[in-house]
Structure formats: C-alpha cells, structure tokens
Amino acid sequence: MTGGRPYYITTPIYYVNDAPHIGHAYTTVACDALARFMRLDGRRVKFLTGTDEHGQKVARSARDAGVDPKTFTDRVSLNFREMTRLMNISNDDFIRTTEERHIRSCQALWQELERRGEIYLGHYKGWYSVRDEAFYDESELVNGKAPSGADVEWYEEENYFFRLSAWQDRLLEFYEKNPNFIAPTARRNEVISFVKSGLNDLSVSRTSFTWGVPVPGKPGHVMYVWLDALNNYQTAVGYPDTESEEYKTFWPADLHMVGKDIIRFHTVYWPAFLMAAGLQPPRRVFAHGWWTVEGQKMSKSLGNFIPPQKLVDQYGVDAVRYFMLRELPFGSDGDFSHRAMVGRINGDLANDFGNLAQRVLSMIAKNCGGRVPAKGPLTPADDALLGAARRLLPRLRAEYAEQAFHKALEAVFEVVAAANRYVDEQAPWALRKTDPARMETVLWVAAETIRHLAILMQPVVPTAAGKLLDQLGAEARDFAALDGAPLVPGTALPKPEGVFPRYVEG
RNA sequence: GGCAGCGUAGCUCAGUGGUAGAGCAGGGGAAUCAUAAUCCCUUGGUCGGGGGUUCGAAUCCCUCCGCUGCUACCA
C-alpha cells in the first residue's frame, strides 16, 4: 500500500530567545514519529520545523549581547538545528523567519489581505507593560499595575488592524464542518467557546520596534509577530506561488502540532488570515500537553528546564523518544521523572522487547548456524502469533491518524508480550533435542514476528529498530515489506547484539 | 465570578445502565533460550461524600467537597 495522499506536518517555529528544552524536543519528536510513519506507509511527506526570529525581545537580547539582530539570530537559531540532530529528527526543511523567502511570502500575504479590504488603519490604545511585553485592558489592571505586578504605561500607536471580528461566524461554521480541525476535544471546546464569546479586530502592525517584516508601502510599520510567524507554514511550500508544484501538493497542511499555549493563534487567527486571503486553512491542529519534571512545573525561577542534550546523554535518544510518546496519553500533561523513565527503559524496551529479540536471535545464532531458520508447516499457535503481528498496521494507521502514540505503542507491545508467551509455550530449547525441524519453524515464526515489530517501531526508535532489522537480515523496511518481504530461510545473519540496553543506576 | 472538565486498586489510567478492569508496584510458583530477562497464579477498590431515578448506576439526575483548564493580541 503505497502512494497515499501527500502529508505535510509542521512543528511550531521555536522562539530563538529560548534555549531548547524538553518541551521543544517533545513537540518535534512527536512530529518526527508521524513523518516517519507516513513515509514508511508510502506517502510523500514534507516535515517542517524552524525558528521564529523577529520581535522586540529578540532585538533587545541581541543588543544585550552586543551584536546586531541578524548576527544574534544566526547564532541562536543553530541551537534548534542542533536539537533536531540530537533527537534524530527527519525534517525535510528548516525555516527561519528572517529568510528572504519568508519576508517575501509575508509581504505578499499582507498585500492580498489589504487588497481584499481585510486590513485597515487604526489606533491601538492601552496600558503597556515593558516587562511583560504585553498590553492590558483597563479592567485587567490591579491597583494601577499589571496582573503580574509590573508597572504599566499608557500607550497609543497608529497601526493596522485585521478585521477578525468579521470572521467570527465563518470560523464557527468552519469548526462545525470540520470536527477534526482542533484536537484534543477539550481544546476544541475551549476554542469554540472563546470564539462564541466575541472577537475583536486584531492589530497586525507595530511601529514601536523595527526588528520584523516591513509592512509593504508603510514605512515605520513592521508586521505583528504572529502574522509573520504563522505564515512560515505557507512560505515553506512556496507561497505566494500558489501554482507551484510544492504548494499544490502540500497545502493545506495536514497537521500543525503545537503546545497548548499557542492553540488560539493556530485555530482562530491563522484560519481567519487564510480564509480572508482566499486560501485554505490547515486540516488539523493538535495541542499537546506539558511536562512537569519530577512533579514540578518547569519555570525560569526554578531553573529546572532540562536540556535535551542531558537527557540523551543519560538515557539515549531512542529511549527518550519512546518514553515521551509512550508514557502519557498524547494531549494530556504528564510528569517526566527518572523513576518513570527507567521503568520504561528497563520494563518495556530492555526486558520485554529487547530481551525477546535477544533470546530468539541467540538461539538462531547457536542452533541454526547463524542463518534464518527453515520454515516448516505452521501450527495454529504460529498462525495466531503471525496474525496478531499482521493486524498491527491497520490499527497503527488509525492511532497515528489521531496522534494517539501511546495507544499505537501499547498495541505493539501487546504483540511483544504475545511473542514472549509464544516462545515460552513452544520452548524451542526443548525442541532442539526432540524435534529440531519444529524448533527451526518456531524460531522462524518468532523472528518473523520480531521483524514486523521492528519495522513498526521505526518511527519511534529509528536507530534501535534499524539495528534490529540489520540483525534479522531484513533489507526492505517500509510498511509494504511487512507482508511483502518475509524472512528468507538460509539468509546469513550477523552476530546478535542487544539493541535496548538496561539502565543501571550508577 | 462565568463556562468546561476531572476525582475508579499503592502509582498511571481504561471502562458511560446489567455481577468492578489493564499496566506497573507487592506476594507465591514454573522455567532456564535470553539483557537475572521470561511465563503462570495471586493480594488489593463500599468506582470523592450524600441524595434521587431504575428491576439494576462507576455509568443518568441533584447537591456538597477537592483538583484542573479556558475566560484575546508574552514563544
């Protein structure tokens, strides 16, 4: 089954002012698993990530660092590129909002919105807090200060507004007609109730700073950061050239993966901007949850952000990826603890899956001359196990389609458990003396099952699954090979070697 | 304050009208191919409290308690 519909998936572009942490790694790993899954399933995939580099905060950080903004962002954007390498991410493109292609794209979008009368000149007035870099309504002030306690000052600025208020009904209609647009359901309900409560027009230009995309024909104005940032998803597929092969193939995007903090921008503003420009909104936005660390919220004051490098050094990249996608229902918040991590590494990966592979491959190495064993007549027990393995793909397609990674992995591990039971029940070590031919068949069935499992685990643990397939002598590794390329008896195999080491406290 | 959701075994959760479930943790046993891994059996819950509807409620209704999210322009 190849040649399905193209698949375009994006991470948010990460704000360069932050250092990459576990949250960034999480979003990106989830997208990577989806991208890899879809590629293995024969779909043409575009997987985009990148960095958001404009805004007053960035300009200030650059100034503090004593360099110009471009030099500064060139430097810090690399931190996120390095994170993709570290986490073994298979992105097809890495976009930066300071790139020429993006500036052009944003200006074209602006002009289209303006041409259609969706943007008008107005005045922004409000209480502004420099510390929070945010505006507050009169009603939000507490004793003349921001809710955060920061000082505020009266602020008036001439800027351009987007007619968001005019899109309220059309947005609600869009949500109604596209029930899968916002996930999980709880988030969808929140967004809908927010839109129902009424929308105000949105200021989409700033004159108070210059580090942004210049508004075409309006000296002194730069674009509102979110209009700039969201449009990266279109830039990467060639906008404004909507007739390009790339754009026609991949737009609208299949999935924008986001953290729950930025869902509104992606599910209210973004579809409104696009519809207003006569363009198609994305098909789906998924808002995942947050990690706490050892039971505590991550915060700057606690200083408990975990750099991805530290996790990978300690546990290994495959283990971290597996943990992130298995430990909690995708969409919910969860806790990242050492104890839970070790439980997954040793319990699931090393003991259940790793040891299954090791015990089977060792027996093959010792008793079958290091070659794929001969396959004799199959018993009902053999067929039952192989059948369970073959039924996984349709199940996984359904779970991945809903970003239910934990359920997909649970399904895989049900078969891992079934395979361990099978080996125990068939006891090939006993058959070795009583019925060597049957022993070979049992080992073939077990190895063939492991091949299925390894192929299906590639999206989550690409390195370990790849090594496992090496050891099985399996050349073809996409999902078409599941039923299409079973193990060939007699194939010479390399010496088995553990691919999921136990974590030992030290 | 308003709106929404949640509260089920030690832990994480599934279960939305018909005799309480899974994984992990705990206890006992089997096996010995294997990363001392695996397999089998098992302890454990008045399903947050109270009231109601029903032949029957974790599951529907009311109420109380506790927790969480959202309530616009900070990534």
Side-chain angles (χ1 to χ4, degrees), chain A residues 21-37:
Chain A
H21 58 69
I22 181 175
H24 300 108
Y26 182 47
T27 315
T28 311
V29 163
C31 288
D32 187 58
L34 281 161
R36 288 176 185 270
F37 185 93

Side-chain angles (χ1 to χ4, degrees), chain A residues 16 90 125 128 142 148-149 158 165 170 286 457 466 475 478:
Chain A
V16 287
S90 65
K125 301 174 193 171
Y128 183 70
V142 180
S148 62
E158 176 182 78
S165 59
R170 281 172 286 188
F286 192 108
M457 284 294 283
E475 297 289 332
D478 62 14

Side-chain angles (χ1 to χ4, degrees), chain A residues 389-400:
Chain A
R390 291 195 186 108
R391 282 191 298 274
L392 279 174
L393 180 58
R395 170 87 183 274
L396 263 52
R397 281 197 182 113
E399 304 297 8
Y400 272 85

Side-chain angles (χ1 to χ4, degrees), chain A residues 110-260:
Chain A
W110 179 283
Q111 284 170 323
E112 185 60 23
L113 289 170
E114 194 170 40
R115 192 179 71 75
R116 289 168 175 258
E118 299 287 349
I119 285 176
Y120 64 91
L121 187 61
H123 291 270
Y124 195 94
K125 301 174 193 171
W127 293 99
Y128 183 70
S129 159
V130 175
R131 195 179 84 189
D132 300 346
E133 213 182 37
F135 285 94
Y136 296 102
D137 191 78
E138 184 81 43
S139 64
E140 291 180 279
L141 298 187
V142 180
N143 299 325
K145 288 181 184 265
S148 62
D151 289 328
V152 294
E153 54 194 70
W154 182 248
Y155 189 89
E156 270 192 65
E157 181 175 322
E158 176 182 78
N159 48 32
Y160 288 88
F161 282 77
F162 170 70
R163 296 188 194 282
L164 184 63
S165 59
W167 288 90
Q168 179 172 343
D169 293 343
R170 281 172 286 188
L171 281 168
L172 291 170
E173 188 188 340
F174 174 69
Y175 303 146
E176 182 72 26
K177 286 185 179 165
N178 299 277
N180 295 320
F181 176 61
I182 306 169
T185 308
R187 298 292 163 202
R188 170 180 152 84
N189 295 339
E190 285 176 7
V191 170
I192 289 175
S193 87
F194 168 74
V195 173
K196 277 185 176 164
S197 75
L199 296 174
N200 298 325
D201 289 349
L202 186 69
S203 67
V204 288
S205 78
R206 294 292 137 84
T207 55
S208 52
F209 59 96
T210 58
W211 182 239
V213 177
V215 173
K218 321 288 185 205
H221 287 263
V222 296
M223 287 185 206
Y224 170 53
V225 290
W226 273 105
L227 179 58
D228 167 354
L230 289 162
N231 193 44
N232 90 86
Y233 304 130
Q234 276 207 112
T235 299
V237 290
Y239 187 83
D241 185 0
T242 55
E243 292 306 308
S244 64
E245 201 269 350
E246 185 87 345
Y247 193 91
K248 287 198 290 191
T249 299
F250 290 115
W251 198 261
D254 289 274
L255 180 66
H256 293 321
M257 184 72 76
V258 301
K260 62 185 184 181

Side-chain angles (χ1 to χ4, degrees), chain A residues 156-452:
Chain A
E156 270 192 65
E157 181 175 322
E158 176 182 78
N159 48 32
Y160 288 88
F161 282 77
F162 170 70
R163 296 188 194 282
L164 184 63
S165 59
W167 288 90
Q168 179 172 343
D169 293 343
R170 281 172 286 188
L171 281 168
L172 291 170
E173 188 188 340
F174 174 69
Y175 303 146
E176 182 72 26
K177 286 185 179 165
N178 299 277
N180 295 320
F181 176 61
I182 306 169
T185 308
R187 298 292 163 202
R188 170 180 152 84
N189 295 339
E190 285 176 7
V191 170
I192 289 175
S193 87
F194 168 74
V195 173
K196 277 185 176 164
S197 75
L199 296 174
N200 298 325
D201 289 349
L202 186 69
S203 67
V204 288
S205 78
R206 294 292 137 84
T207 55
S208 52
F209 59 96
T210 58
W211 182 239
V213 177
V215 173
K218 321 288 185 205
H221 287 263
V222 296
M223 287 185 206
Y224 170 53
V225 290
W226 273 105
L227 179 58
D228 167 354
L230 289 162
N231 193 44
N232 90 86
Y233 304 130
Q234 276 207 112
T235 299
V237 290
Y239 187 83
D241 185 0
T242 55
E243 292 306 308
S244 64
E245 201 269 350
E246 185 87 345
Y247 193 91
K248 287 198 290 191
T249 299
F250 290 115
W251 198 261
D254 289 274
L255 180 66
H256 293 321
M257 184 72 76
V258 301
K260 62 185 184 181
D261 55 330
I262 55 175
I263 185 142
R264 175 179 307 150
F265 304 106
H266 285 79
T267 58
V268 181
Y269 302 167
W270 183 223
F273 292 155
L274 288 164
M275 290 191 285
L279 300 164
Q280 292 204 61
R283 297 181 198 277
R284 183 170 166 94
V285 176
F286 192 108
H288 68 238
W290 291 143
W291 288 101
T292 51
V293 175
E294 302 293 346
Q296 288 194 308
K297 273 189 175 175
M298 288 191 287
S299 73
K300 283 176 185 164
S301 54
L302 286 171
N304 60 343
F305 288 91
I306 304 183
Q309 182 73 56
K310 184 180 165 194
L311 289 178
V312 169
D313 289 347
Q314 186 171 4
Y315 305 113
V317 63
D318 278 339
V320 172
R321 291 170 59 110
Y322 175 77
F323 179 85
M324 286 176 160
L325 299 179
R326 176 65 185 88
E327 182 63 8
L328 52 98
F330 195 70
S332 307
D333 291 347
D335 186 47
F336 205 112
S337 72
H338 175 70
R339 174 190 285 273
M341 182 83 219
V342 172
R344 289 297 176 191
I345 291 175
N346 290 348
D348 296 0
L349 295 179
N351 295 353
D352 289 347
F353 192 23
N355 184 58
L356 168 68
Q358 189 67 10
R359 67 197 300 209
V360 170
L361 288 166
S362 296
M363 279 187 276
I364 289 174
K366 289 176 187 164
N367 304 306
C368 306
R371 293 173 179 278
V372 173
K375 175 193 174 191
L378 298 184
T379 67
D382 301 344
D383 286 326
L385 181 63
L386 290 170
R390 291 195 186 108
R391 282 191 298 274
L392 279 174
L393 180 58
R395 170 87 183 274
L396 263 52
R397 281 197 182 113
E399 304 297 8
Y400 272 85
E402 297 185 349
Q403 294 78 48
F405 303 105
H406 61 297
K407 289 187 188 173
L409 289 168
E410 193 174 18
V412 170
F413 274 78
E414 279 170 18
V415 178
V416 169
N420 270 317
R421 277 196 298 277
Y422 170 86
V423 173
D424 270 40
E425 285 162 7
Q426 299 300 319
W429 51 91
L431 291 169
R432 182 161 64 100
K433 292 180 178 172
T434 60
D435 190 349
R438 176 58 192 159
M439 174 199 74
E440 295 223 11
T441 299
V442 166
L443 292 176
W444 183 89
V445 169
E448 173 65 4
T449 301
I450 293 166
R451 186 184 67 89
H452 272 74

